[in-house]
Amino acid sequence: MKSSLLALWVGVTLILTGACTQTLPESIENQWAQLPEQIDYNFHVKPILSDRCFACHGPDAQKREADLRLDVEESAFAALSSGEGYAIKSGNIGHSQLVSRILTQDSTLLMPPPESHLALSEYEKAVLIKWIKQGAAYKDHWAFTKPMLPQVPNQLDPWAKNEIDYFIEKKLKQQQISPAPEAEKEQLIRRVYFDVLGLPPSLSELDKWLADTRSDSHERMVDSLLQLPGFGERMAAHWMDVARFADSEGYLDDFHHEFWPYRDWVIKAFNENLPYDKFILWQVGGDQAPNASQEQILATAFNRNHKQNSEGGVIPEEFRVEYVADRTQTVGTAFLGLTIGCARCHDHKYDPISQENYFQLFSFFNSTIERGDGIFSENSIEYGQMVSNKHSMNAGPVLALADEKVVQIREMLLQEIQEKQEDLQAAYHSNTDRFEEWTLTHPRREVFEQAVVQATVSHLTFDKMEAGTSDDKVAGNFTPSYWGDIKAAKGVKGKAVQSAAQGQFIADGSKS
């Protein structure tokens, strides 16, 4: 046992000693020239660690080995719990256990372990080593990183005409690839049409642009296509996938789910080049904007376009929660660039989203009163603001969308209502002032008040009630009377009636 431990220690020591001198295997040295000049954690390193290392050294606490997390900078740089140094020593590959473990020939030390059936290529090993050598800089998730303008490479060949070409040119040279020859003009025209409109040019359009020999012909063609309605349709097609657009309920029926107005709004937004901040804001909260326009409210269909179950036997709360979850996950994908659905059940293993984070976002949508009941209910087009959750039978996120004529009629009626309300307010204040003036100056105010009291207070008396008979009923005699177990009794003031069943006075003849 002691000899085995000694051999293991010697093996590790030799590896570390070799790494300290930064002498790398020839196979790694051969890859060095192919590596990017600057290794980026998100683009180059994290994909490798995620695929080969995070299964045992990642976010999943249930499967974590050796108390080591390589997805978190603090853990990766901390001293190992085994006391054998550090997994990663920034800028020092000789004191980084990660380097020795991926380079060793000892199968008992090799990482990833052979039994995992995962392995690193020589190129991937070189990426990790160069990353550590450059300082092992971790970065936040790319969705949380502000885009930065990179430095534009210098032009090297005449074929590169613009900044995008310069980046392509640099990458081609790194990969030792020669650029393809310039395409024929008709090929370029066809490519542009597909890119901008999603459709090929007609023969007449192709002839038109082939005949245009001006130096800026290509730019003119692009500009002209951007002005066509088809440009918005092309761009909207991508967003419709993100917004899970469909003119259907998604479960069992396809009734009452016309969503094409939202599709047309998205097309319009692209064609009018609506600023991206408004494009986002209107879709997630356009109805909350001050004096929200119909267009802003229509944009909120982004969060209304989820599946709806019109089956009468659904459990309302179950489907209400499903709708909220759908909105939460769609906003996460579309606007945060994160797949947050996993965090509904547990902390996300690959994106930096905890289950708590998920339900914090969930809470923004959890005020909905949609119950998921059958859509054929009396409040199926009920907005929800005026009906309590208990009484609402709202089947889904339905909004009435008025056409131009209906909008005009509605505006006219609202104006008339406003005018009538103003007239009522004016009359109210006017009459109040006149009444107060009258009560202060009228000589018979007390007489008036007495008359009002007498007119508004009832005096019920049982003094004239007598015992009746069934003959009185038959004869249609409606003189105040009583029958059965009710009899006259003395009240607090005047006569009262007493019920034998209750044994109590039920009236005393007093004023009420």
Side-chain angles (χ1 to χ4, degrees), residues 32-327:
W32 213 259
Q34 309 302 321
L35 298 177
E37 183 178 339
Q38 182 65 40
I39 303 297
D40 183 273
Y41 173 75
N42 280 333
F43 286 98
H44 307 125
V45 177
K46 189 176 181 180
I48 300 174
L49 296 179
S50 178
D51 189 48
R52 316 298 166 78
C53 307
F54 284 0
C56 298
H57 302 296
D60 191 346
Q62 302 299 320
K63 296 183 179 180
R64 192 175 303 140
E65 300 286 347
D67 295 325
L68 173 63
R69 290 185 65 173
L70 293 176
D71 64 309
V72 178
E73 180 178 0
E74 292 77 10
S75 175
F77 289 171
L80 294 170
S81 59
S82 63
E84 297 180 358
Y86 302 87
I88 297 175
K89 191 72 172 177
S90 177
N92 192 327
I93 62 176
H95 286 84
S96 297
Q97 281 277 9
L98 185 148
V99 175
S100 64
R101 289 301 190 96
I102 66 175
L103 294 180
T104 183
Q105 299 299 313
D106 188 339
S107 61
T108 63
L109 297 174
L110 181 65
M111 288 292 166
E115 60 268 22
S116 70
H117 303 292
L118 299 172
L120 293 169
S121 67
E122 298 303 295
Y123 178 82
E124 290 169 333
K125 293 176 184 178
V127 168
L128 296 177
I129 293 171
K130 186 172 182 179
W131 172 63
I132 295 175
K133 191 173 183 180
Q134 290 182 339
Y138 276 79
K139 286 185 176 181
D140 289 335
H141 188 280
W142 65 265
F144 303 142
T145 303
K146 182 180 179 179
M148 302 294 291
L149 284 174
Q151 183 178 354
V152 179
N154 295 324
Q155 179 185 14
L156 299 176
D157 289 332
W159 69 265
K161 301 288 194 303
N162 54 52
E163 289 82 355
I164 296 177
D165 286 347
Y166 301 161
F167 284 100
I168 296 173
E169 178 188 32
K170 180 180 179 180
K171 181 62 69 173
L172 290 177
K173 288 191 176 298
Q174 287 178 352
Q175 301 295 327
Q176 298 181 349
I177 299 175
S178 299
E182 185 174 346
E184 297 295 332
K185 189 172 182 179
E186 52 263 47
Q187 292 177 313
L188 291 175
I189 294 171
R190 179 180 171 84
R191 291 176 186 174
V192 170
Y193 265 80
F194 272 115
D195 285 342
V196 179
L197 302 181
L199 296 170
S202 65
L203 291 178
S204 60
E205 290 170 328
L206 183 61
D207 292 338
K208 170 189 173 181
W209 293 112
L210 284 174
D212 191 339
T213 58
R214 290 172 291 187
S215 59
D216 60 348
S217 170
H218 187 82
E219 289 76 7
R220 289 174 178 271
M221 176 179 63
V222 172
D223 290 339
S224 68
L225 296 183
L226 292 176
Q227 302 304 314
L228 296 177
F231 166 69
E233 295 172 1
R234 168 67 165 164
M235 298 299 294
H238 301 295
W239 190 251
M240 291 296 98
D241 290 338
V242 176
R244 77 279 194 232
F245 171 81
D247 273 320
S248 65
E249 293 179 5
Y251 284 106
L252 69 161
D253 295 321
D254 286 329
F255 301 128
H256 302 287
H257 199 88
E258 295 180 344
F259 237 74
W260 57 265
Y262 169 72
R263 175 204 64 197
D264 289 355
W265 174 82
V266 174
I267 294 172
K268 178 175 178 287
F270 278 111
N271 280 327
E272 294 182 354
N273 200 24
L274 183 71
Y276 187 62
D277 58 345
K278 293 182 179 179
F279 187 71
I280 294 176
L281 182 61
W282 292 6
Q283 291 186 81
V284 298
D287 56 335
Q288 300 301 307
N291 301 316
S293 66
Q294 179 164 281
E295 183 181 10
Q296 289 173 314
I297 296 174
L298 172 57
T300 65
F302 171 84
N303 266 323
R304 306 174 190 276
N305 187 31
H306 50 67
K307 292 191 293 184
Q308 297 177 45
N309 197 336
S310 62
E311 195 231 320
V314 301
I315 300 173
E317 181 62 10
E318 175 188 2
F319 279 88
R320 189 194 69 81
V321 171
E322 285 303 314
Y323 299 159
V324 175
D326 178 278
R327 297 177 182 189

Side-chain angles (χ1 to χ4, degrees), residues 254-445:
D254 286 329
F255 301 128
H256 302 287
H257 199 88
E258 295 180 344
F259 237 74
W260 57 265
Y262 169 72
R263 175 204 64 197
D264 289 355
W265 174 82
V266 174
I267 294 172
K268 178 175 178 287
F270 278 111
N271 280 327
E272 294 182 354
N273 200 24
L274 183 71
Y276 187 62
D277 58 345
K278 293 182 179 179
F279 187 71
I280 294 176
L281 182 61
W282 292 6
Q283 291 186 81
V284 298
D287 56 335
Q288 300 301 307
N291 301 316
S293 66
Q294 179 164 281
E295 183 181 10
Q296 289 173 314
I297 296 174
L298 172 57
T300 65
F302 171 84
N303 266 323
R304 306 174 190 276
N305 187 31
H306 50 67
K307 292 191 293 184
Q308 297 177 45
N309 197 336
S310 62
E311 195 231 320
V314 301
I315 300 173
E317 181 62 10
E318 175 188 2
F319 279 88
R320 189 194 69 81
V321 171
E322 285 303 314
Y323 299 159
V324 175
D326 178 278
R327 297 177 182 189
T328 304
Q329 289 151 204
T330 304
V331 166
T333 302
F335 299 119
L336 303 181
L338 297 167
T339 54
I340 67 174
C342 302
R344 183 179 181 183
C345 299
H346 51 73
D347 290 351
H348 205 300
K349 296 182 180 181
Y350 304 108
D351 283 347
I353 299 293
S354 67
Q355 191 174 25
E356 181 181 5
N357 295 149
Y358 177 89
F359 284 101
Q360 286 173 336
L361 181 58
F362 181 99
S363 67
F364 284 104
F365 304 103
N366 198 33
S367 59
T368 175
I369 65 168
E370 297 160 31
R371 293 177 51 186
D373 295 306
I375 198 165
F376 305 107
S377 57
E378 62 180 350
N379 291 325
S380 62
I381 310 183
E382 201 282 307
Y383 288 177
Q385 287 84 357
M386 305 300 291
V387 178
S388 68
N389 193 22
K390 178 180 178 180
H391 297 103
S392 173
M393 290 291 288
N394 188 13
V398 183
L399 281 177
L401 185 64
D403 59 24
E404 185 176 353
K405 184 176 181 179
V406 172
V407 170
Q408 292 175 351
I409 295 173
R410 179 176 180 273
E411 291 298 327
M412 180 195 70
L413 294 175
L414 289 176
Q415 180 64 31
E416 288 193 6
I417 291 173
Q418 179 65 27
E419 292 174 357
K420 294 299 182 184
Q421 288 177 336
E422 292 174 357
D423 292 344
L424 288 173
Q425 287 295 320
Y428 172 80
H429 291 297
S430 175
N431 290 339
T432 300
D433 294 340
R434 291 171 60 191
F435 175 76
E436 290 179 352
E437 180 183 355
W438 181 84
T439 57
L440 291 174
T441 59
H442 200 282
R444 301 190 64 187
R445 175 181 174 182

